[in-house]
Amino acid sequence: MGFIRKVYGILMLQLMVTLGIIALFLYVTPVREYSNQNPWMWYLALVLTFVTLIMLACCPDIRRQFPTNFIVLCVFTVCEGFLLGAISSHYDQDAVLIAVGITALVSAALTLFAFQTKWDFTTMGGLLFVFLIVLFVFGILCAIIQNRYATLAYAALGALLFSFYLVFDTQMMIGGRHKYSISPEEYIFAALNLYLDIVQLFMFILTIVGNAQD
C-alpha cells in the first residue's frame, strides 16, 4: 500500500504540472504566441522528452537512484506538458476541457475496474504490444491519406488500446494475485507508465472531440 500511495502521489503531481502548463497555453496568449514564434522550443522539448523517456525506461540505475530519478522525471514531465500545451492550443478551449473531463472520468473508472476485477490483464502484455505496432502503422497511413473518418477511427482505436494499457499497468503495479507485477523499487517506472497511458488517452480523446466539433 505504501508503494501504491507513492506511485499515485507522483502521478498526481505529474498530472497537476501538465494541466498547469496546458492552462498557460489555453488562457495566456503571450505564452502561446511566444511558443509559436520560437519553434526551436518545440524541437528542444521533443528531443528532451525522448532522451529522458529512454533514460527512465532503459536505465534501471537512473530511475532507482534518488534524487536523479526525480530530476529526470521532472524534466520529462515539463517537456511533455509543453508539447501537450502546444498541441492543445490548436483546439477550442471547450474541446480541451471536455477531453480533460472525459479522460479523468475514464481513467478513474478504469482504475477502479483494475483494482476490483478478477480478470488478470498482466498476461496480455505481448498482445497489447502487437496492437500498439498495428496502431502505429495505421497512424502513418492516416497521416498520408489525410481523411477525417480514418483519423476518427485511428483516434477511437488508440483510446481503446490505451484504456487497456491503463488497466494493464495498474494491475502490474498492484501485484498480489496477478501473474506479473512491478518491483516496489520501481515506483518511478510505475508512475511513468500510468502517466503515459493517461496522456495518450487524453490526446486520442481530444482528437475525437475536436473532430466532432468540426
Side-chain angles (χ1 to χ4, degrees), residues 2 7 23 28 36 47 55 101-102 106 109 113 119 133 139 148 158 169 185 191-192 206:
V7 170
V28 182
N36 292 334
V47 171
M55 291 173 63
I102 294 175
V106 171
F113 171 76
W119 295 347
I133 295 175
R148 179 183 179 184
D169 288 325
E185 296 180 0
L192 177 66
L206 180 60

Side-chain angles (χ1 to χ4, degrees), residues 26-27 92-103 202 206 209:
L26 288 180
Y27 298 107
D92 292 337
Q93 293 180 2
D94 292 341
V96 177
L97 294 177
I98 291 172
V100 169
I102 294 175
T103 303
F202 165 72
L206 180 60
V209 174

Side-chain angles (χ1 to χ4, degrees), residues 51-134:
V51 170
T52 51
L53 179 60
I54 292 172
M55 291 173 63
L56 291 171
C58 302
C59 302
D61 292 338
I62 292 179
R63 66 173 181 257
R64 292 181 181 180
Q65 184 178 0
F66 180 85
T68 305
N69 51 4
F70 279 96
I71 294 173
V72 177
L73 186 66
C74 286
V75 173
F76 169 79
T77 303
V78 171
C79 292
E80 185 71 19
F82 177 84
L83 292 174
L84 290 174
I87 294 171
S88 300
S89 66
H90 294 283
Y91 290 87
D92 292 337
Q93 293 180 2
D94 292 341
V96 177
L97 294 177
I98 291 172
V100 169
I102 294 175
T103 303
L105 291 175
V106 171
S107 299
L110 290 174
T111 300
L112 290 175
F113 171 76
F115 271 86
Q116 297 296 328
T117 184
K118 295 181 179 179
W119 295 347
D120 188 357
F121 285 83
T122 63
T123 59
M124 299 174 58
L127 181 62
L128 292 176
F129 184 71
V130 170
F131 281 120
L132 181 62
I133 295 175
V134 173

